[in-house]
Amino acid sequence: MVKKETYSISELAKEFDVTTRSIRFYEDQELLKPTRRGQTRIFSSKDRVRLKLILRGKRMGFSLSETKELFDLWDETLSGNEKQLLLMLDTLSRKRAQLEQQKNDIAMAEMEMDTAEARCREALADLEQKKKDQKMPANDEESTTAEQK
Amino acid sequence: MVKKETYSISELAKEFDVTTRSIRFYEDQELLKPTRRGQTRIFSSKDRVRLKLILRGKRMGFSLSETKELFDLWDETLSGNEKQLLLMLDTLSRKRAQLEQQKNDIAMAEMEMDTAEARCREALADLEQKKKDQKMPANDEESTTAEQK
DNA sequence: CAAATACTTTACGTTTACGTAAACTTTATC
DNA sequence: GATAAAGTTTACGTAAACGTAAAGTATTTG
């Protein structure tokens, strides 16, 4: 009783919050390869891992076929011949470059969100100030319209 | 002559390596709002910035409608009323959470790529070793088959 | 001024990633 | 043993994000 070896389709669907339709679709596309008992699908823990990877890939903007390519490549890599190993190393380095790009994009996005948030807070502070001014108008001059530029 | 104020569709297409079709599609979806001279589109530097954001969004796995929502929200935010400002701040914090998730995903992916690469290199080293053994078999015992586990 | 070049609209086609419904079989439950 | 619950296949439908002609306009260039 280590970790549970097999899973039903609805168990996986519930755990990862996807529809059974999606899971069947992933099998159809050969990203998952459940065995059968009768006609019922039985998923292994390897399938479970792959499902997790599929979903992470999606969040990272990977298409199913990209993910499948990686799965296939990894399977072939396990065959152990030198050509496949080198191919895998090459692919890994390309993927790493992709991740670098994504980290860059995220960093950029964060910076822009920082400045956006700062501007929001400024604008809010201005509004609060005006509220006070309205309640307790200390000095005169026209204060109603046109203040920027 | 500061920064060039306007761009043709093909200039932008070339600069960002997208098709003109895509750019027109983005306009159709109201992500870009070029003006016209006659019937020809004229893109402002604001459009240019937005195109850049669209593409970055795509690399980060954002749909066009998600990006459009952000654009619209930002435009409304600029109207300056308190409700919109608060809504924007809320949205920003949700997007930040999303970015955190993505960073997590990337970190996971990197770790898995590290171990994958390590295994590849091990396997390669093993192969090299076997090549040497074949050329210069120093000791006896059966050395042909089954060495792991 | 004719031909090439750049732009346009209109519109049907395509791929991806499922949603949704219909019609069955198998297994569990009352 | 009826019926609900969970599974299945088959198949048509759909939204997103463009691709790909087709056919026309506008401008530039030899």
Side-chain angles (χ1 to χ4, degrees):
Chain A
M1 198 257 273
V2 257
K3 267 214 165 186
K4 191 173 193 185
E5 275 297 294
T6 69
Y7 307 84
S8 77
I9 193 170
S10 51
E11 279 175 331
L12 288 184
K14 196 167 289 181
E15 176 173 2
F16 293 107
D17 194 35
V18 293
T19 63
T20 58
R21 176 68 177 90
S22 295
I23 293 178
R24 292 199 188 95
F25 183 74
Y26 300 150
E27 179 191 10
D28 200 61
Q29 303 301 302
E30 301 181 311
L31 285 137
L32 301 177
K33 317 210 169 167
T35 58
R36 305 287 180 122
R37 200 181 61 198
Q39 68 174 358
T40 299
R41 274 163 259 252
I42 299 182
F43 295 88
S44 68
S45 50
K46 175 180 172 182
D47 287 317
R48 207 191 81 114
V49 168
R50 296 215 152 177
L51 179 52
K52 191 185 293 190
L53 291 176
I54 291 169
L55 299 177
R56 180 194 297 161
K58 293 199 67 179
R59 287 195 303 269
M60 294 171 58
F62 285 30
S63 73
L64 293 184
S65 60
E66 279 177 304
T67 301
K68 176 176 161 46
E69 276 183 48
L70 281 176
F71 286 176
D72 290 352
L73 186 56
W74 184 247
D75 286 344
E76 286 172 18
T77 297
L78 294 184
S79 84
N81 89 66
E82 184 162 353
K83 201 172 151 195
Q84 295 298 342
L85 287 168
L86 292 175
L87 208 167
M88 175 55 104
L89 284 177
D90 186 62
T91 303
L92 282 176
S93 93
R94 282 205 313 276
K95 291 285 167 189
R96 279 189 205 280
Q98 213 175 328
L99 292 193
E100 281 310 308
Q101 167 72 354
Q102 291 206 30
K103 287 202 279 188
N104 228 306
D105 287 335
I106 289 178
M108 286 292 202
E110 281 181 329
M111 285 178 53
E112 275 151 23
M113 288 172 66
D114 285 347
T115 82
E117 182 166 346
R119 286 183 195 184
C120 277
R121 296 203 183 284
E122 261 184 70
L124 270 177
D126 280 8
L127 285 186
E128 289 307 316
Q129 190 56 35
K130 284 191 182 164
K131 273 191 196 166
K132 276 187 193 167
D133 289 357
Q134 228 162 18
K135 280 191 175 175
M136 193 261 282
N139 60 12
D140 58 329
E141 306 278 317
E142 81 269 32
S143 64
T144 43
T145 47
E147 210 163 30
Q148 64 264 54
K149 222 278 182 67
Chain B
M1 199 256 275
V2 256
K3 265 213 167 183
K4 191 172 191 186
E5 276 297 294
T6 70
Y7 307 84
S8 77
I9 193 170
S10 51
E11 279 175 332
L12 288 184
K14 197 168 288 180
E15 175 173 2
F16 293 107
D17 194 35
V18 293
T19 63
T20 58
R21 176 67 178 91
S22 295
I23 294 179
R24 292 197 188 98
F25 183 73
Y26 299 151
E27 180 192 9
D28 201 60
Q29 304 300 301
E30 302 180 311
L31 286 139
L32 301 177
K33 318 209 168 169
T35 58
R36 303 289 179 120
R37 199 181 64 196
Q39 67 174 358
T40 300
R41 275 162 261 250
I42 300 183
F43 296 88
S44 67
S45 50
K46 176 179 171 183
D47 287 317
R48 206 192 82 115
V49 168
R50 296 215 153 177
L51 179 52
K52 191 185 292 189
L53 291 176
I54 291 168
L55 299 177
R56 179 195 298 160
K58 294 199 66 179
R59 288 195 302 268
M60 295 171 57
F62 285 31
S63 74
L64 292 184
S65 60
E66 279 177 304
T67 301
K68 175 175 163 44
E69 276 183 50
L70 281 176
F71 285 176
D72 290 351
L73 186 55
W74 183 246
D75 286 346
E76 286 171 18
T77 297
L78 294 184
S79 83
N81 90 65
E82 184 163 352
K83 201 172 148 195
Q84 294 298 341
L85 287 168
L86 292 173
L87 208 166
M88 174 54 103
L89 284 176
D90 186 62
T91 304
L92 282 176
S93 92
R94 284 204 312 276
K95 290 287 165 186
R96 279 188 206 283
Q98 213 176 326
L99 292 193
E100 282 310 307
Q101 167 73 352
Q102 292 206 30
K103 288 202 279 189
N104 227 306
D105 287 335
I106 289 179
M108 287 292 202
E110 281 181 329
M111 286 178 53
E112 275 151 24
M113 287 172 65
D114 285 347
T115 81
E117 182 166 346
R119 286 184 197 183
C120 276
R121 295 203 183 286
E122 262 185 69
L124 270 178
D126 280 8
L127 284 186
E128 288 308 315
Q129 191 54 36
K130 282 191 184 165
K131 273 192 196 166
K132 274 188 193 165
D133 288 359
Q134 226 163 20
K135 280 194 173 174
M136 192 261 282
N139 60 12
D140 58 327
E141 305 280 318
E142 80 269 29
S143 63
T144 43
T145 48
E147 210 165 30
Q148 63 263 54
K149 221 278 186 62

